[in-house]
Structures are given as C-alpha cells and as structure tokens.
Amino acid sequence: MIIKSDFRYSVKFLFAFVVIFSAILMEKANAQISADKASYRTLTEYTSTANDSIFVFCDNIGTGIGELRADSPDGTNGWTFAWTKWDATANDFVTNLVTEANQSFSILSNLTDGRYRVVMTKSGETDVTSIAWVLNNSNADPVLTFSRMNCDGVYFAGSFSKKDLQYQDVPNANQINVKVDDRVRFSLQRNGEEKQGTPFVAYDGSEKDLFDNEAYEGDETYQLVVTDQYACEFTSSSIISNTYVVKADFSVAPDSGEAPLEDVIFTNNSINATDYKWYLYQDYDRLPEELTSVEDSLLTDTILLDKDLAPYTYQYSGKYQVKLIVTSDKGPEVCMDEMMLSTPIVVDTSLVQVPNVFTPNGDGRNDIWKVKTQSLFLESFHAIVFNRWGRVVYEWRNPEDGWNGKVNGKMATPGTYFYVITAVGREEPQKKYTKKGSFMLIRK
C-alpha cells in the first residue's frame, strides 16, 4: 500500500511538472501585445481565422493616440522587433513601420486605427508573432441644456451621440462591431462634483432628464460627463446656473449637560432662507411648578422669528426639542424646508439646585433656604451664605440642612443674599462642582 501511494504521488508530481513546463513554453510561444493605456480590451470575432486582441483608446483630440507594447518572450535583450500594419487591399501586413534590434521590448506610439503585427526574432530562438487591433475612440462631446428650476431643484436635458467601433473581418472585408456591454453613463456634475449619475442600457441618443436638488447660494458651473461603452469620458460645454432651493440647517452646542445648561448656542446654517421660524418644545413630564424667568417661559411651543437665536439657558432637567422652518422668496414661488434635531437636547438633573427666593415668615411654607441635591452622588458638600457686604451669615456641610433666615438668632434683614456652594461627586475621577449666585429673602 505504501509503495502504491508513493508511486501515485510521484505520478501526480510529474504531471504537475509537465503542466507547468508546458504552460511556460506556451506563454513563450504566444507572447501577446499589451496596451497599458487602453480603456477597453476584448477579442475579435472573426468568422474563420484565429482571433486577435482589440485595444480601444480614448482619443478626445481625434488624432490617433494608440500605443502598443511587445515584450520579448523570455524577458531578455537581444531580440529584434519588426512592426508592420495590415493593408486591407493587399489583405496582408505589407506596410512596414519600424524595426528595433537588440531589445527586450518595443513600444509603438501615436497609432491610428488599424491591425498591427510584431514579429520577434532572436538567433537560435523560434520567431514569435503577435497581432492586435488599435481603435481610437473619438466622439462629439455630449450636449447639456438648461430646462427649468423650481423649489425642488435645477433641471437639465442631456444627450450624446454614441459611436460604435468596428474592425474588419479577416480574411474578408466585412465590418464587425466591437463586442461590448452596451451601457452608457450620464453624470451631471456641479463644480466637478457629481450630483446625478444614471446608467442607460442600449442608449439610443435621445435626451435624458437630469436634476440637481441640492441647495446652494450664488452661481455655479454645471457640465455633463458621459462615460461611453468603452469607458471613455466626454464632457459637455459648461452652463452657469443658480438655484432657489431652500434648506433648513442648524447645529446646537452643547446639546447635553446638567441643569442649568447654560449658553446653549444655536448656529443657523440654512441656505437660501429669507424667513425663519424656530419652534421650542419642552418636556411636559418635567414641567416646573412655577416659571421663574422669562427664558423659562419660552419652553412652551414658542415660535421665534429671529434668524439667529441668542445663547439660551435651560434651567430645568428634561429632554428638549428644537425645530426650524425656513422659507425663501428668492424665486417666483415661495419655497419651504424644515429641520428637527435628530436627538433632543438632554438636560440632566443637577447635583445641586439652588432656589432663588425664600420667605422665612413662620407659615411653614418656604421657610428654609435649602439646596436640593442628589446626596447619593455627593462625596462632600459645603454651602456658605453672605450678605451684601461679604459677611458670612451662615454655612453648613450637611446637604440635608439649610438656612432658616436668622443671624445669631435674630431675623435677617430682607433683601439680596449671595451664596457659594462647592460639592464633590462620587465619579471616578471625582468631579468638583462650584455654584455661585444670589437669592432673595422676602418677609410677607
């Protein structure tokens, strides 16, 4: 069994060696012409003879830019490359082009349409012949025309005269279309950036509608770039146009934080807008019992008509939404667009909340100026109350305590008092909070 197994593997190895060696010999005997600059490659479909390579070149200037390269079969120097061109009348390669001796490769440039042959010879080696067609794809540029514009965008029409490339059947003189995936792509571009790209199968040269729905301000340049079935690009003349499409756009920073969330900036980035409506929504589940400032009163589905909102402070925790509706009268019709934040502004409950007024009159209501805290999240707490002359009238370290409005056992004078509160959270790393401000002591 072992002997049979070894013999079997030996046969497999020998067979693999023969296959590889044969492939090397075949590659040498069938060295091909290459064309790095070609946009499209395929094979002929002759009716009765062996097929040749076809190389298509994007010839936008229409002068013939084909370029073929032949490499020696073994990659060494010492080869002679003789190039000729097919003559359809003589039905043979009778037009001598160039002969280069003692080379490892040869390049033929600026070639017009036709069938080319290179014969590679070297002393002591077998002659190697390779043949290829060069087809230069020159065409008329596409046509782009302006159609109209409205609140949806700018409309154009584009067309292109597609060209089918042909080669001659060998040995007869019949013309054959190059085999290709018949697909043409239209690309409407604004300032070199594609705004609409559409492929068309079996395109017949008819006009196609093109559209740009983006908002922008000022005049910009449009062109139609067509990529034909041979992967060549052709570009239309330019058209200058504007648009009156309107776009609502704004950003918010910061968009989260603890209450009070101060100096929230709304940056208006809207385009082509002439009128603005800001809608401010509040979280009704966390509506405070009493609004204590003009700013807080804005949080009730209020509409503001300013282009730019002033920096805003969210006093209370909750989730807040903002929507902007813009209109434009730059065109013959009024255009409108709107934007709402994809995620709401999130104001977390503050570790420290300070009342702005208290009434220590003994009626059992609001008699203690007490700081509201989330004590479970505090590592330490310290509050100090000052009078208008900077004298400390009361201080405490237990967040459950507060000031009863007395100084040395006597009722404090009504008026404005000031506070400084410092607290350290239990985060890792610990965060220190400092709040400063004033409040009113009122006796009724």
Side-chain angles (χ1 to χ4, degrees), residues 405-424:
K406 295 182 180 181
V407 180
N408 297 325
K410 297 181 180 180
M411 294 295 184
T413 304
T416 302
Y417 288 81
F418 303 88
Y419 65 86
V420 175
I421 298 172
T422 56
V424 176

Side-chain angles (χ1 to χ4, degrees), residues 36-87:
D36 292 340
K37 296 182 179 180
S39 66
Y40 184 76
R41 300 166 176 82
T42 188
L43 294 174
T44 60
E45 295 182 325
Y46 298 143
T47 56
S48 59
T49 59
N51 289 315
D52 299 324
S53 296
I54 298 177
F55 298 104
V56 177
F57 298 85
C58 301
D59 186 8
N60 297 93
I61 57 178
T63 60
I65 62 169
E67 181 178 287
L68 299 179
R69 172 180 175 131
D71 289 276
S72 62
D74 58 5
T76 64
N77 289 324
W79 289 80
T80 297
F81 297 80
W83 292 91
T84 54
K85 186 177 182 180
W86 177 265
D87 186 311

Side-chain angles (χ1 to χ4, degrees), residues 29-312:
N30 294 280
Q32 296 294 312
I33 293 175
S34 62
D36 292 340
K37 296 182 179 180
S39 66
Y40 184 76
R41 300 166 176 82
T42 188
L43 294 174
T44 60
E45 295 182 325
Y46 298 143
T47 56
S48 59
T49 59
N51 289 315
D52 299 324
S53 296
I54 298 177
F55 298 104
V56 177
F57 298 85
C58 301
D59 186 8
N60 297 93
I61 57 178
T63 60
I65 62 169
E67 181 178 287
L68 299 179
R69 172 180 175 131
D71 289 276
S72 62
D74 58 5
T76 64
N77 289 324
W79 289 80
T80 297
F81 297 80
W83 292 91
T84 54
K85 186 177 182 180
W86 177 265
D87 186 311
T89 303
N91 203 27
D92 198 0
F93 291 94
V94 297
T95 305
N96 294 318
L97 299 177
V98 66
T99 299
E100 294 182 314
N102 198 28
Q103 302 292 321
S104 63
F105 68 91
S106 178
I107 296 177
L108 214 57
S109 301
N110 299 320
L111 302 178
T112 57
D113 292 357
R115 187 179 183 222
Y116 294 84
R117 182 182 70 181
V118 61
V119 178
M120 294 166 277
T121 60
K122 185 178 182 180
S123 177
E125 300 284 349
T126 302
D127 293 351
V128 178
T129 299
S130 187
I131 300 173
W133 280 89
V134 167
L135 297 177
N136 291 285
N137 184 21
S138 58
N139 207 336
D141 288 332
V143 176
L144 180 68
T145 57
F146 173 82
S147 297
R148 67 189 189 282
M149 70 172 69
N150 57 25
C151 287
D152 295 323
V154 187
Y155 296 80
F156 299 89
S159 62
F160 178 67
S161 297
K162 185 179 67 174
K163 177 181 179 181
D164 292 322
L165 300 179
Q166 296 180 323
Y167 60 93
Q168 179 183 330
D169 194 2
V170 176
N172 62 54
N174 296 331
Q175 296 295 308
I176 303 175
N177 286 337
V178 174
K179 182 181 180 181
V180 70
D181 178 16
D182 190 6
R183 188 180 300 269
V184 173
R185 188 176 189 275
F186 279 28
S187 172
L188 178 66
Q189 299 186 0
R190 170 160 51 87
N191 295 338
E193 181 181 353
E194 182 175 273
K195 297 304 171 184
Q196 178 187 345
T198 307
F200 299 103
V201 178
Y203 173 64
D204 59 3
S206 59
E207 278 194 340
K208 299 297 181 181
D209 293 329
L210 304 166
F211 175 57
D212 180 12
N213 65 348
E214 289 187 0
Y216 61 88
E217 295 181 341
D219 291 335
E220 298 198 356
T221 301
Y222 286 92
Q223 288 179 306
L224 172 60
V225 178
V226 174
T227 304
D228 72 0
Q229 66 271 40
Y230 308 107
C232 294
E233 289 187 353
F234 299 91
T235 304
S236 72
S237 299
S238 300
I239 292 179
I240 307 298
S241 180
N242 55 30
T243 187
Y244 53 87
V245 173
V246 66
K247 179 182 180 181
D249 185 28
F250 67 94
S251 59
V252 178
D255 59 3
S256 63
E258 290 185 352
L261 185 60
E262 300 176 335
D263 295 327
V264 177
I265 304 297
F266 299 87
T267 302
N268 191 345
N269 303 310
S270 300
I271 300 174
N272 279 332
T274 54
D275 293 289
Y276 309 84
K277 289 183 180 180
W278 296 88
Y279 292 79
L280 304 182
Y281 297 88
Q282 82 174 317
D283 182 349
Y284 291 102
D285 294 336
R286 300 189 182 183
L287 181 66
E289 294 180 0
E290 182 178 351
L291 298 176
T292 57
S293 69
V294 175
E295 281 189 338
D296 291 333
S297 67
L298 297 179
L299 299 175
T300 54
D301 289 359
T302 296
I303 301 176
L304 300 179
L305 303 180
D306 298 328
K307 176 181 178 182
D308 298 301
L309 295 183
Y312 187 77

Side-chain angles (χ1 to χ4, degrees), residues 321-357:
Q321 188 54 266
V322 180
K323 180 171 71 173
L324 173 62
I325 295 180
V326 296
T327 56
S328 172
D329 58 4
K330 291 185 176 182
E333 55 185 326
V334 176
C335 304
M336 183 182 71
D337 189 40
E338 68 176 55
M339 174 191 169
M340 179 177 287
L341 290 178
S342 57
T343 57
I345 299 170
V346 178
V347 184
D348 293 328
T349 302
S350 175
L351 286 178
V352 178
Q353 297 182 28
V354 181
N356 58 4
V357 66

Side-chain angles (χ1 to χ4, degrees), residues 292-293 316 354-358 369 419 438-442:
T292 57
S293 69
Y316 302 97
V354 181
N356 58 4
V357 66
F358 83 123
W369 191 81
Y419 65 86
S438 63
F439 62 94
M440 292 291 297
L441 188 158
I442 299 175

